[in-house]
Amino acid sequence: MASSYLSFDEWEDVYADRIEHLRRSAVRDLFAAISRPNVIGLSGGSPDISSLPLDEVAECTKRVVTENGLKSLQYGGSDGRIETRTMVAGMLAEDDIHVDPDEIIITGGSQQALDFMGRVFINPGDKIIVEGPSYLGALQAFSAYQPDVEVVPMDDEGMSMDALEETLKRLGPRGAKFIYTIPNFQNPAGVTMTLERRRRLLELAHEYHIQVIEDDPYGRLRFEGEHIPPLKSMDPNVIYLGTTSKIFAPGLRLAWCVAPKPVIAKINLCEQGASLCCSAFNQILAEQYFTRTDWKGTLEKSRAIYRSRRDAMISALEEFFPPEATWTHPQGGLFVYVTLPPYFDTEQMMSAALENGVAYVPGSNCFPNGEGKSSMRLAFSYEPEEKIREGVRRLSEVIADRMELYRAFLKAGALPEASSEGM
């Protein structure tokens, strides 16, 4: 006979205090749900890699071993191969970021680089500044080091410089360890910081002696509008993060951090303690791909796919969503950010959405303090156009049910007219 019992963790008193501060990843938690065949996944920002020339990638993979032998299967330096760092420096020069390979370190994906930012800069209780909303993976990485997170609101032109200045005045010089920003096609908001605001951000950072971390995984995914120079191209002191995940293969788990040499030395110590070194095989494969294939032509095909899917999502939102909803109109990247009336709680609404066969990321996961309950991130990068349209339609049904329920309660006097209680 099966017996039921309570399960206790006998190691509970052994864990480090920091484990209690770690955030969960909403996207990872949704993986099991969105893997079901009847669920349309508008949640995860998985890039579309269908345009990759697999025969050429296979040839590149073969050459990793045939041209490099056992060296490709051996340990490497913790800063990354000089050949890989030189290649990255050449790619950055195309965006007017001119750096020496010694100012670059290769990391195991941008997520590891974000963890290193926390490990290098944050003591428990330190102030850091992020955009609101911000990338949930960065908030998760930083949370392990127990910072006090200051949130600066955004609009269609990126982080509000007036609000940032107010925050910096309140904190004072060196009152925060760093400002973390995603200026291009921000995750989750999809908006791009204007050139004027980029310049102002750097002025404020200099005035208040605060480091700037520029996370730029989407910069090469522009499919509309004019290129805007990276912050790093305007200030060599900016720490710049980039990755192969959106321009080649996310499974490669290869990224780079560009920073002044003293900062690189500290990150190198983190790399040694975390993983010794990045995969030499993967680095050489990246070198092969970015030097011996028409990778820019492949990326252009991907951008065309993203533009078509962005258009499909915007069209579906206009067709199916209520007039009370608003959303961003990204010129690149992978995401649209939707804001519903303030009485919505998109986290509570998720179960109903999954039952109706669609998934998204609740906006509250993109804030450190529980804000953003009436918003959601929708990804247009992975699902084809017809599924995007159907997913938005299914989501609109859930929203309509919630709105009808709210109005019924309001009419019956069960809710105050200005209630912000989530439904």
Side-chain angles (χ1 to χ4, degrees):
M1 183 175 67
S3 60
S4 61
Y5 59 90
L6 294 176
S7 177
F8 294 98
D9 186 351
E10 62 178 301
W11 306 107
E12 188 172 0
D13 60 340
V14 179
Y15 299 131
D17 292 342
R18 75 176 65 88
I19 205 72
E20 297 298 324
H21 298 272
L22 288 176
R23 293 168 56 101
R24 297 184 66 88
S25 169
V27 176
R28 298 291 145 184
D29 286 346
L30 282 169
F31 262 27
I34 63 179
S35 64
R36 300 201 304 260
N38 64 318
V39 174
I40 297 174
L42 303 182
S43 51
S46 298
D48 183 278
I49 57 175
S50 63
S51 297
L52 283 176
L54 290 182
D55 54 342
E56 294 183 50
V57 174
E59 187 60 32
C60 288
T61 305
K62 180 180 178 181
R63 285 199 298 264
V64 171
V65 175
T66 58
E67 295 183 4
N68 294 272
L70 294 175
K71 182 170 61 175
S72 65
L73 303 173
Q74 186 55 273
Y75 288 125
S78 54
D79 49 356
R81 284 169 47 86
I82 183 62
E83 296 88 348
T84 308
R85 289 183 283 123
T86 301
M87 177 197 73
V88 170
M91 294 169 68
L92 293 173
E94 296 177 2
D95 282 333
D96 207 26
I97 299 175
H98 299 287
V99 294
D100 187 90
D102 289 343
E103 298 172 272
I104 301 172
I105 188 168
I106 305 300
T107 65
S110 285
Q111 194 65 29
Q112 187 182 60
L114 289 168
D115 178 75
F116 290 165
M117 294 298 98
R119 197 176 305 189
V120 167
F121 289 108
I122 301 173
N123 290 316
D126 281 346
K127 302 277 189 181
I128 64 171
I129 297 173
V130 304
E131 296 156 329
S134 188
Y135 171 45
L136 57 92
L139 296 177
Q140 184 182 30
F142 300 152
S143 70
Y145 304 98
Q146 302 166 249
D148 183 1
V149 184
E150 296 277 344
V151 177
V152 176
M154 305 176 69
D155 58 25
D156 288 341
E157 296 185 348
M159 183 190 295
S160 166
M161 291 300 110
D162 289 342
L164 175 61
E165 185 170 11
E166 290 177 7
T167 300
L168 293 173
K169 283 180 178 178
R170 173 167 51 83
L171 298 178
R174 291 197 182 276
K177 286 298 185 71
F178 58 74
I179 301 168
Y180 171 73
T181 179
I182 308 172
N184 293 319
F185 322 119
Q186 199 254 11
N187 180 359
V191 302
T192 296
M193 189 184 295
T194 63
L195 180 59
E196 180 182 3
R197 292 198 184 183
R198 294 180 194 220
R199 288 171 174 160
R200 182 57 180 154
L201 187 154
L202 293 174
E203 289 173 357
L204 290 170
H206 285 187
E207 182 179 350
Y208 288 90
H209 304 288
I210 293 177
Q211 181 61 258
V212 174
I213 298 175
E214 178 180 20
D215 196 359
D216 191 26
Y218 313 107
R220 289 183 179 268
L221 300 188
R222 176 178 287 279
F223 45 71
E224 186 178 282
E226 296 297 322
H227 170 75
I228 302 176
L231 294 166
K232 181 69 175 177
S233 70
M234 297 184 273
D235 185 347
N237 290 312
V238 169
I239 296 174
Y240 179 92
L241 309 181
T243 179
T244 65
S245 292
K246 308 303 186 291
I247 58 175
F248 179 21
L252 213 59
R253 308 312 304 134
L254 207 62
W256 47 86
C257 177
V258 188
K261 290 181 181 179
V263 178
I264 289 294
K266 301 298 188 296
I267 299 171
N268 199 323
L269 293 176
C270 295
E271 181 84 64
Q272 292 172 22
S275 61
L276 296 181
C277 61
C278 288
S279 163
F281 190 98
N282 289 357
Q283 290 180 72
I284 299 171
L285 176 56
E287 294 164 22
Q288 290 282 337
Y289 180 76
F290 288 111
T291 59
R292 300 178 73 168
T293 75
D294 180 22
W295 69 273
K296 290 182 180 178
T298 299
L299 186 58
E300 184 59 37
K301 294 177 184 177
S302 296
R303 283 196 292 261
I305 291 172
Y306 295 143
R307 178 169 188 156
S308 178
R309 292 177 180 176
R310 186 279 315 264
D311 291 347
M313 178 168 282
I314 296 295
S315 177
L317 289 168
E318 291 172 346
E319 179 179 355
F320 295 116
F321 268 40
E324 295 89 341
T326 60
W327 50 84
T328 56
H329 194 289
Q331 295 183 315
L334 310 178
F335 307 107
V336 169
Y337 197 70
V338 177
T339 302
L340 299 171
Y343 56 83
F344 273 84
D345 186 329
T346 56
E347 191 160 3
Q348 290 184 4
M349 194 175 73
M350 175 60 78
S351 59
L354 289 173
E355 287 178 9
N356 211 39
V358 62
Y360 56 86
V361 171
S364 57
N365 288 277
C366 304
F367 287 84
N369 50 14
E371 293 181 54
K373 287 188 175 181
S374 62
S375 58
M376 63 178 75
R377 187 190 80 176
L378 302 181
F380 55 79
S381 56
Y382 189 71
E383 299 282 13
E385 286 85 344
E386 61 273 13
K387 283 198 171 184
I388 289 173
R389 185 178 186 278
E390 174 61 16
V392 171
R393 187 196 67 78
R394 292 180 185 182
L395 190 52
S396 72
E397 293 179 340
V398 178
I399 291 170
D401 288 344
R402 285 292 194 276
M403 295 184 79
E404 184 178 350
L405 181 63
Y406 176 80
R407 289 167 182 155
F409 275 119
L410 194 64
K411 186 176 181 180
L415 288 171
E417 188 166 353
S419 172
S420 61
E421 183 177 348
M423 298 188 66

